[in-house]
Amino acid sequence: MQQSQTEKLKPVQLSPLPETPTVSVLISNYNYARYIGETIESVLCQTYPHFEIIVCDDGSTDNSCEIIETYVQKDNRIKLIRKKNAGVAIALNRAYEQSNRSYAKNAKKLN
């Protein structure tokens, strides 16, 4: 009789997190000028201070990048990546590549 998938699973050893890990908040943006400031503000209002915000703009044609740039200039924990439109998955992958990767949390896509 075949083993079930769950019977084949084994624990994976992970290295312990640092005492104060940096959380990477990944945000994809495509023409969300109306919401992007509120999105960034919601992260900035968190009580845990050890984070970075990486916004990957997916070829926006509105003024959302200008809004994001105002935050980038005020806080060095915020990064903006600009790229041609290729979809949300590619944008989030690009943001992840630029993250510090201690712990990455995918921000919910705005719709």
Side-chain angles (χ1 to χ4, degrees):
M1 189 172 215
Q2 286 187 338
Q3 267 186 322
S4 72
Q5 284 296 98
T6 54
E7 291 173 355
K8 294 178 186 178
L9 296 176
K10 293 186 169 59
V12 175
Q13 286 293 334
L14 300 173
S15 58
L17 288 173
E19 182 124 352
T20 54
T22 300
V23 174
S24 299
V25 180
L26 312 179
I27 302 171
S28 64
N29 178 68
Y30 179 73
N31 292 337
Y32 289 128
R34 184 172 173 189
Y35 306 105
I36 195 65
E38 183 179 345
T39 301
I40 294 171
E41 286 292 335
S42 72
V43 179
L44 294 173
C45 289
Q46 300 302 307
T47 56
Y48 186 76
H50 307 287
F51 63 83
E52 63 180 353
I53 301 171
I54 303 172
V55 183
C56 185
D57 181 73
D58 194 30
S60 292
T61 57
D62 65 1
N63 69 328
S64 54
C65 283
E66 294 167 17
I67 295 167
I68 298 162
E69 282 291 349
T70 63
Y71 286 95
V72 169
Q73 292 171 6
K74 291 184 216 175
D75 194 320
N76 66 0
R77 298 175 295 179
I78 304 171
K79 300 175 192 170
L80 171 61
I81 303 165
R82 296 175 193 235
K83 62 173 221 45
K84 289 182 181 179
N85 183 265
V88 66
I90 292 173
L92 289 172
N93 283 335
R94 182 74 53 87
Y96 179 74
E97 290 166 2
Q98 298 296 314
S99 72
N100 125 346
R101 299 182 189 172
S102 288
Y103 181 77
K105 173 67 177 164
N106 181 356
K108 185 175 181 181
K109 181 180 179 256
L110 296 172
N111 246 346

